[in-house]
Amino acid sequence: MLAEYQTFDLIQEIDRNDGTSYYELGNIYMNGVAERCALDGYIKQVRIVQLNIPHGTAVRVYEEYINENYEFPSLHPDHWEEWAKPEGPVLDAYNEILRANHIA
């Protein structure tokens, strides 16, 4: 059974089917879901680009937003859901996480 609150500790690069890509925070569970989605053709591929990211303020802000606004999929997803990053504190936190981990 999936825990209600997900803690993020890694950054993944998600390649969409249209050839574009983006970075997303997650954990080993969410990486497994992304791998399943890649196998099923919902996304092209996924790869982990950073493990064990520091769990600082920016991660907590982004993590709280995702946990409050999205339901986490089962290990048998029927689609890939890309999480929105609205302007303001959430997008600022996301960008800070990428900067702090030398990704952007």
Side-chain angles (χ1 to χ4, degrees):
M1 184 170 161
L2 179 61
E4 285 192 27
Y5 191 90
Q6 294 290 304
T7 302
F8 299 149
D9 58 6
L10 59 81
I11 300 171
Q12 309 172 97
E13 182 177 25
I14 309 293
D15 290 344
R16 300 177 187 103
N17 287 331
D18 68 3
T20 62
S21 64
Y22 71 101
Y23 296 104
E24 191 57 80
L25 272 70
N27 52 35
I28 292 300
Y29 177 84
M30 288 305 298
N31 182 256
V33 170
E35 290 285 351
R36 179 78 258 164
C37 283
L39 290 171
D40 292 344
Y42 304 127
I43 58 175
K44 187 173 182 180
Q45 70 177 3
V46 59
R47 70 182 182 99
I48 296 173
V49 295
Q50 185 71 39
L51 287 169
N52 300 321
I53 62 173
H55 200 259
T57 302
V59 172
R60 282 190 293 276
V61 167
Y62 187 73
E63 188 178 84
E64 287 173 8
Y65 163 75
I66 297 300
N67 275 281
E68 290 173 5
N69 290 281
Y70 292 92
E71 288 188 24
F72 292 92
S74 75
L75 285 175
H76 305 286
D78 61 1
H79 69 286
W80 175 254
E81 183 172 17
E82 187 171 334
W83 297 333
K85 293 150 186 71
E87 291 285 330
V90 172
L91 183 58
D92 293 346
Y94 172 81
N95 288 328
E96 175 56 31
I97 294 161
L98 297 183
R99 275 192 299 275
N101 286 280
H102 310 287
I103 294 174

